[in-house]
Short mmCIF file of all heavy atoms in Angstrom, two decimals:
data_model
loop_
_atom_site.label_atom_id
_atom_site.label_comp_id
_atom_site.label_asym_id
_atom_site.label_seq_id
_atom_site.Cartn_x
_atom_site.Cartn_y
_atom_site.Cartn_z
N LEU A 156 -13.30 -12.75 -11.35
CA LEU A 156 -13.36 -13.06 -12.78
C LEU A 156 -11.98 -13.46 -13.30
O LEU A 156 -11.85 -14.38 -14.10
CB LEU A 156 -13.91 -11.86 -13.57
CG LEU A 156 -15.42 -11.65 -13.48
CD1 LEU A 156 -15.84 -10.45 -14.32
CD2 LEU A 156 -16.18 -12.90 -13.92
N GLN A 157 -10.95 -12.78 -12.80
CA GLN A 157 -9.58 -13.15 -13.19
C GLN A 157 -9.31 -14.61 -12.81
O GLN A 157 -8.81 -15.40 -13.61
CB GLN A 157 -8.55 -12.23 -12.53
CG GLN A 157 -7.12 -12.62 -12.89
CD GLN A 157 -6.05 -11.89 -12.09
OE1 GLN A 157 -6.34 -11.10 -11.20
NE2 GLN A 157 -4.80 -12.16 -12.41
N GLU A 158 -9.66 -14.96 -11.58
CA GLU A 158 -9.43 -16.34 -11.12
C GLU A 158 -10.20 -17.34 -11.98
O GLU A 158 -9.69 -18.40 -12.33
CB GLU A 158 -9.85 -16.51 -9.65
CG GLU A 158 -9.07 -15.66 -8.64
CD GLU A 158 -7.62 -16.09 -8.43
OE1 GLU A 158 -7.19 -17.11 -9.00
OE2 GLU A 158 -6.90 -15.38 -7.70
N ALA A 159 -11.43 -16.96 -12.34
CA ALA A 159 -12.28 -17.88 -13.11
C ALA A 159 -11.71 -18.17 -14.50
O ALA A 159 -12.02 -19.20 -15.09
CB ALA A 159 -13.68 -17.29 -13.23
N MET A 160 -10.90 -17.26 -15.02
CA MET A 160 -10.35 -17.45 -16.36
C MET A 160 -9.07 -18.28 -16.36
O MET A 160 -8.55 -18.62 -17.40
CB MET A 160 -10.02 -16.09 -17.01
CG MET A 160 -11.21 -15.19 -17.20
SD MET A 160 -12.51 -15.94 -18.20
CE MET A 160 -13.96 -15.24 -17.41
N GLN A 161 -8.53 -18.56 -15.15
CA GLN A 161 -7.24 -19.25 -15.09
C GLN A 161 -7.41 -20.75 -14.97
O GLN A 161 -8.27 -21.20 -14.21
CB GLN A 161 -6.44 -18.76 -13.87
CG GLN A 161 -6.03 -17.32 -13.93
CD GLN A 161 -5.30 -16.93 -12.65
OE1 GLN A 161 -4.32 -17.54 -12.28
NE2 GLN A 161 -5.79 -15.90 -11.98
N GLU A 162 -6.55 -21.46 -15.64
CA GLU A 162 -6.52 -22.92 -15.45
C GLU A 162 -6.26 -23.23 -13.98
O GLU A 162 -6.86 -24.11 -13.40
CB GLU A 162 -5.34 -23.52 -16.24
CG GLU A 162 -5.41 -23.28 -17.71
CD GLU A 162 -6.36 -24.24 -18.38
OE1 GLU A 162 -5.95 -25.36 -18.65
OE2 GLU A 162 -7.52 -23.86 -18.62
N GLU A 163 -5.30 -22.47 -13.42
CA GLU A 163 -4.86 -22.73 -12.05
C GLU A 163 -5.55 -21.80 -11.04
O GLU A 163 -5.07 -21.58 -9.94
CB GLU A 163 -3.33 -22.57 -11.96
CG GLU A 163 -2.75 -21.16 -12.14
CD GLU A 163 -2.61 -20.65 -13.58
OE1 GLU A 163 -3.35 -21.10 -14.48
OE2 GLU A 163 -1.79 -19.76 -13.80
N GLY A 164 -6.69 -21.21 -11.48
CA GLY A 164 -7.35 -20.18 -10.66
C GLY A 164 -7.81 -20.70 -9.30
O GLY A 164 -8.08 -21.89 -9.13
N ASP A 165 -7.90 -19.78 -8.35
CA ASP A 165 -8.39 -20.14 -7.01
C ASP A 165 -9.88 -19.83 -6.95
O ASP A 165 -10.28 -18.68 -7.12
CB ASP A 165 -7.67 -19.32 -5.94
CG ASP A 165 -6.21 -19.70 -5.85
OD1 ASP A 165 -5.91 -20.90 -5.77
OD2 ASP A 165 -5.36 -18.78 -5.87
N PHE A 166 -10.69 -20.84 -6.71
CA PHE A 166 -12.14 -20.62 -6.69
C PHE A 166 -12.62 -20.42 -5.26
O PHE A 166 -12.15 -21.10 -4.35
CB PHE A 166 -12.84 -21.77 -7.40
CG PHE A 166 -12.47 -21.80 -8.86
CD1 PHE A 166 -11.47 -22.64 -9.31
CD2 PHE A 166 -13.08 -20.93 -9.76
CE1 PHE A 166 -11.10 -22.64 -10.65
CE2 PHE A 166 -12.70 -20.92 -11.09
CZ PHE A 166 -11.71 -21.77 -11.55
N LEU A 167 -13.53 -19.50 -5.10
CA LEU A 167 -13.99 -19.13 -3.76
C LEU A 167 -15.22 -19.96 -3.40
O LEU A 167 -16.15 -20.07 -4.21
CB LEU A 167 -14.36 -17.64 -3.72
CG LEU A 167 -13.24 -16.66 -4.09
CD1 LEU A 167 -13.79 -15.24 -4.23
CD2 LEU A 167 -12.13 -16.70 -3.04
N ASN A 168 -15.23 -20.51 -2.19
CA ASN A 168 -16.44 -21.22 -1.77
C ASN A 168 -17.32 -20.37 -0.85
O ASN A 168 -18.35 -20.80 -0.38
CB ASN A 168 -16.12 -22.58 -1.15
CG ASN A 168 -15.13 -22.44 -0.01
OD1 ASN A 168 -14.91 -21.32 0.48
ND2 ASN A 168 -14.53 -23.54 0.40
N LYS A 169 -16.86 -19.13 -0.61
CA LYS A 169 -17.69 -18.15 0.11
C LYS A 169 -17.60 -16.85 -0.67
O LYS A 169 -16.66 -16.66 -1.46
CB LYS A 169 -17.09 -17.87 1.50
CG LYS A 169 -17.23 -18.93 2.51
CD LYS A 169 -16.85 -18.33 3.90
CE LYS A 169 -16.95 -19.34 4.99
NZ LYS A 169 -15.91 -20.39 4.90
N THR A 170 -18.48 -15.91 -0.42
CA THR A 170 -18.37 -14.62 -1.11
C THR A 170 -17.21 -13.83 -0.50
O THR A 170 -16.91 -13.98 0.71
CB THR A 170 -19.65 -13.76 -0.94
OG1 THR A 170 -19.76 -13.42 0.45
CG2 THR A 170 -20.89 -14.50 -1.41
N PRO A 171 -16.58 -12.95 -1.27
CA PRO A 171 -15.57 -12.08 -0.69
C PRO A 171 -16.10 -11.31 0.52
O PRO A 171 -15.36 -11.09 1.50
CB PRO A 171 -15.20 -11.14 -1.84
CG PRO A 171 -15.40 -12.00 -3.06
CD PRO A 171 -16.62 -12.82 -2.74
N LEU A 172 -17.38 -10.96 0.49
CA LEU A 172 -17.96 -10.24 1.63
C LEU A 172 -17.88 -11.09 2.90
O LEU A 172 -17.45 -10.62 3.96
CB LEU A 172 -19.42 -9.88 1.31
CG LEU A 172 -20.18 -9.16 2.42
CD1 LEU A 172 -19.55 -7.80 2.73
CD2 LEU A 172 -21.65 -8.98 2.04
N ASP A 173 -18.26 -12.36 2.79
CA ASP A 173 -18.19 -13.26 3.97
C ASP A 173 -16.74 -13.45 4.41
O ASP A 173 -16.44 -13.46 5.60
CB ASP A 173 -18.80 -14.63 3.64
CG ASP A 173 -20.32 -14.54 3.52
OD1 ASP A 173 -20.89 -13.56 4.04
OD2 ASP A 173 -20.90 -15.42 2.88
N ILE A 174 -15.84 -13.61 3.43
CA ILE A 174 -14.42 -13.83 3.77
C ILE A 174 -13.87 -12.60 4.50
O ILE A 174 -13.20 -12.71 5.52
CB ILE A 174 -13.61 -14.12 2.48
CG1 ILE A 174 -14.11 -15.40 1.82
CG2 ILE A 174 -12.10 -14.23 2.80
CD1 ILE A 174 -13.62 -15.59 0.39
N LEU A 175 -14.21 -11.42 3.96
CA LEU A 175 -13.70 -10.19 4.59
C LEU A 175 -14.25 -10.03 6.00
O LEU A 175 -13.52 -9.62 6.91
CB LEU A 175 -14.06 -8.97 3.73
CG LEU A 175 -13.25 -8.83 2.43
CD1 LEU A 175 -13.82 -7.73 1.55
CD2 LEU A 175 -11.77 -8.57 2.72
N ASN A 176 -15.52 -10.37 6.18
CA ASN A 176 -16.09 -10.23 7.53
C ASN A 176 -15.37 -11.12 8.53
O ASN A 176 -15.09 -10.71 9.65
CB ASN A 176 -17.60 -10.50 7.51
CG ASN A 176 -18.35 -9.29 6.96
OD1 ASN A 176 -17.87 -8.15 7.06
ND2 ASN A 176 -19.50 -9.52 6.35
N ILE A 177 -15.03 -12.33 8.11
CA ILE A 177 -14.28 -13.23 9.00
C ILE A 177 -12.89 -12.64 9.24
O ILE A 177 -12.39 -12.59 10.37
CB ILE A 177 -14.16 -14.65 8.40
CG1 ILE A 177 -15.55 -15.24 8.16
CG2 ILE A 177 -13.33 -15.57 9.30
CD1 ILE A 177 -15.55 -16.55 7.38
N PHE A 178 -12.28 -12.15 8.17
CA PHE A 178 -10.95 -11.56 8.28
C PHE A 178 -10.95 -10.40 9.28
O PHE A 178 -10.08 -10.32 10.15
CB PHE A 178 -10.51 -11.08 6.88
CG PHE A 178 -9.18 -10.38 6.85
CD1 PHE A 178 -8.01 -11.09 6.99
CD2 PHE A 178 -9.11 -9.01 6.67
CE1 PHE A 178 -6.77 -10.45 6.96
CE2 PHE A 178 -7.88 -8.36 6.64
CZ PHE A 178 -6.71 -9.09 6.78
N PHE A 179 -11.94 -9.51 9.17
CA PHE A 179 -11.97 -8.35 10.08
C PHE A 179 -12.18 -8.81 11.53
O PHE A 179 -11.64 -8.21 12.45
CB PHE A 179 -13.08 -7.37 9.69
CG PHE A 179 -12.87 -6.74 8.34
CD1 PHE A 179 -13.92 -6.60 7.45
CD2 PHE A 179 -11.61 -6.30 7.94
CE1 PHE A 179 -13.73 -6.03 6.19
CE2 PHE A 179 -11.41 -5.73 6.68
CZ PHE A 179 -12.47 -5.59 5.81
N ASP A 180 -12.94 -9.89 11.70
CA ASP A 180 -13.17 -10.41 13.06
C ASP A 180 -11.91 -10.98 13.66
O ASP A 180 -11.66 -10.85 14.86
CB ASP A 180 -14.19 -11.56 13.00
CG ASP A 180 -15.59 -11.04 13.14
OD1 ASP A 180 -15.73 -9.84 13.40
OD2 ASP A 180 -16.52 -11.85 12.97
N GLN A 181 -11.11 -11.63 12.83
CA GLN A 181 -9.99 -12.43 13.38
C GLN A 181 -8.64 -11.76 13.29
O GLN A 181 -7.68 -12.23 13.86
CB GLN A 181 -9.89 -13.76 12.60
CG GLN A 181 -11.11 -14.63 12.79
CD GLN A 181 -10.93 -15.98 12.13
OE1 GLN A 181 -9.87 -16.32 11.63
NE2 GLN A 181 -11.98 -16.78 12.13
N ASN A 182 -8.56 -10.67 12.53
CA ASN A 182 -7.23 -10.17 12.17
C ASN A 182 -6.89 -8.84 12.83
O ASN A 182 -7.77 -8.03 13.09
CB ASN A 182 -7.21 -10.00 10.64
CG ASN A 182 -5.93 -9.42 10.18
OD1 ASN A 182 -5.81 -8.22 10.10
ND2 ASN A 182 -4.96 -10.25 9.94
N LYS A 183 -5.59 -8.63 13.04
CA LYS A 183 -5.17 -7.42 13.73
C LYS A 183 -4.66 -6.31 12.78
O LYS A 183 -4.36 -5.24 13.21
CB LYS A 183 -4.04 -7.76 14.71
CG LYS A 183 -4.48 -8.60 15.89
CD LYS A 183 -3.37 -8.78 16.88
CE LYS A 183 -2.46 -9.97 16.80
NZ LYS A 183 -2.47 -11.08 15.99
N VAL A 184 -4.57 -6.60 11.48
CA VAL A 184 -4.03 -5.58 10.57
C VAL A 184 -4.98 -4.39 10.51
O VAL A 184 -6.15 -4.54 10.20
CB VAL A 184 -3.85 -6.15 9.13
CG1 VAL A 184 -3.25 -5.09 8.22
CG2 VAL A 184 -2.97 -7.38 9.17
N GLU A 185 -4.45 -3.22 10.86
CA GLU A 185 -5.34 -2.06 10.96
C GLU A 185 -5.53 -1.36 9.63
O GLU A 185 -6.60 -0.83 9.35
CB GLU A 185 -4.76 -1.05 11.95
CG GLU A 185 -5.11 -1.38 13.37
CD GLU A 185 -4.40 -0.50 14.34
OE1 GLU A 185 -4.01 0.62 13.96
OE2 GLU A 185 -4.21 -0.95 15.48
N ASN A 186 -4.48 -1.31 8.84
CA ASN A 186 -4.52 -0.48 7.64
C ASN A 186 -4.80 -1.34 6.41
O ASN A 186 -3.90 -1.97 5.87
CB ASN A 186 -3.19 0.26 7.48
CG ASN A 186 -2.94 1.17 8.65
OD1 ASN A 186 -3.89 1.65 9.28
ND2 ASN A 186 -1.69 1.40 8.96
N ILE A 187 -6.05 -1.32 6.01
CA ILE A 187 -6.45 -2.18 4.89
C ILE A 187 -7.02 -1.31 3.75
O ILE A 187 -7.80 -0.38 3.98
CB ILE A 187 -7.57 -3.17 5.33
CG1 ILE A 187 -7.15 -4.01 6.53
CG2 ILE A 187 -8.03 -4.04 4.16
CD1 ILE A 187 -6.18 -5.10 6.23
N ILE A 188 -6.59 -1.66 2.55
CA ILE A 188 -7.19 -1.08 1.34
C ILE A 188 -7.77 -2.25 0.55
O ILE A 188 -7.15 -3.31 0.47
CB ILE A 188 -6.13 -0.37 0.48
CG1 ILE A 188 -5.48 0.80 1.25
CG2 ILE A 188 -6.73 0.15 -0.84
CD1 ILE A 188 -4.34 1.50 0.51
N ILE A 189 -8.96 -2.05 -0.02
CA ILE A 189 -9.53 -3.10 -0.87
C ILE A 189 -9.60 -2.59 -2.31
O ILE A 189 -10.00 -1.44 -2.54
CB ILE A 189 -10.95 -3.49 -0.38
CG1 ILE A 189 -10.90 -3.82 1.10
CG2 ILE A 189 -11.54 -4.59 -1.26
CD1 ILE A 189 -11.21 -5.17 1.54
N LYS A 190 -9.20 -3.44 -3.24
CA LYS A 190 -9.23 -3.03 -4.64
C LYS A 190 -9.75 -4.16 -5.54
O LYS A 190 -9.72 -5.33 -5.15
CB LYS A 190 -7.84 -2.57 -5.11
CG LYS A 190 -6.84 -3.70 -5.39
CD LYS A 190 -5.46 -3.14 -5.67
CE LYS A 190 -5.27 -2.63 -7.08
NZ LYS A 190 -5.27 -3.69 -8.10
N GLU A 191 -10.13 -3.77 -6.74
CA GLU A 191 -10.38 -4.75 -7.81
C GLU A 191 -9.10 -4.79 -8.63
O GLU A 191 -8.06 -4.26 -8.19
CB GLU A 191 -11.61 -4.32 -8.63
CG GLU A 191 -12.60 -5.46 -8.95
CD GLU A 191 -12.21 -6.28 -10.16
OE1 GLU A 191 -11.53 -5.77 -11.05
OE2 GLU A 191 -12.64 -7.47 -10.24
N VAL A 192 -9.14 -5.40 -9.82
CA VAL A 192 -7.91 -5.47 -10.61
C VAL A 192 -8.13 -4.95 -12.04
O VAL A 192 -7.39 -5.28 -12.94
CB VAL A 192 -7.33 -6.90 -10.65
CG1 VAL A 192 -6.84 -7.33 -9.29
CG2 VAL A 192 -8.34 -7.89 -11.21
N GLY A 193 -9.15 -4.12 -12.24
CA GLY A 193 -9.34 -3.52 -13.56
C GLY A 193 -10.75 -3.62 -14.11
O GLY A 193 -10.99 -3.28 -15.27
N GLN A 194 -11.70 -4.04 -13.25
CA GLN A 194 -13.10 -4.05 -13.71
C GLN A 194 -14.02 -3.35 -12.72
O GLN A 194 -15.23 -3.29 -12.92
CB GLN A 194 -13.56 -5.48 -14.01
CG GLN A 194 -12.84 -6.00 -15.26
CD GLN A 194 -13.26 -7.38 -15.70
OE1 GLN A 194 -12.64 -8.36 -15.31
NE2 GLN A 194 -14.30 -7.47 -16.51
N GLY A 195 -13.42 -2.79 -11.68
CA GLY A 195 -14.18 -1.95 -10.77
C GLY A 195 -15.20 -2.70 -9.92
O GLY A 195 -15.23 -3.93 -9.88
N PHE A 196 -16.03 -1.92 -9.22
CA PHE A 196 -17.06 -2.47 -8.32
C PHE A 196 -18.41 -1.90 -8.70
O PHE A 196 -18.53 -0.69 -8.94
CB PHE A 196 -16.77 -2.06 -6.87
CG PHE A 196 -15.49 -2.62 -6.30
CD1 PHE A 196 -14.34 -1.83 -6.24
CD2 PHE A 196 -15.43 -3.91 -5.79
CE1 PHE A 196 -13.16 -2.33 -5.69
CE2 PHE A 196 -14.25 -4.41 -5.24
CZ PHE A 196 -13.12 -3.62 -5.19
N GLY A 197 -19.44 -2.73 -8.68
CA GLY A 197 -20.81 -2.24 -8.87
C GLY A 197 -21.27 -1.49 -7.63
O GLY A 197 -20.61 -1.53 -6.58
N PRO A 198 -22.45 -0.82 -7.72
CA PRO A 198 -22.90 0.06 -6.63
C PRO A 198 -23.13 -0.67 -5.31
O PRO A 198 -22.86 -0.11 -4.24
CB PRO A 198 -24.20 0.67 -7.15
CG PRO A 198 -24.61 -0.19 -8.30
CD PRO A 198 -23.37 -0.81 -8.86
N ASN A 199 -23.59 -1.93 -5.37
CA ASN A 199 -23.86 -2.63 -4.11
C ASN A 199 -22.57 -2.99 -3.39
O ASN A 199 -22.45 -2.86 -2.17
CB ASN A 199 -24.72 -3.88 -4.37
CG ASN A 199 -26.07 -3.49 -4.95
OD1 ASN A 199 -26.78 -2.69 -4.35
ND2 ASN A 199 -26.39 -4.00 -6.12
#
Side-chain angles (χ1 to χ4, degrees):
L156 284 181
Q157 178 189 3
E158 297 290 356
M160 298 303 146
Q161 294 178 56
E162 299 281 278
E163 68 280 26
D165 292 311
F166 295 97
L167 301 172
N168 54 15
K169 287 192 180 69
T170 66
L172 178 63
D173 288 340
I174 298 165
L175 287 171
N176 282 334
I177 301 172
F178 177 74
F179 296 137
D180 270 354
Q181 296 186 6
N182 177 270
K183 291 186 268 355
V184 182
E185 276 173 25
N186 299 332
I187 304 285
I188 298 176
I189 308 244
K190 77 187 279 292
E191 224 277 334
V192 294
Q194 290 183 267
F196 296 100
N199 298 305

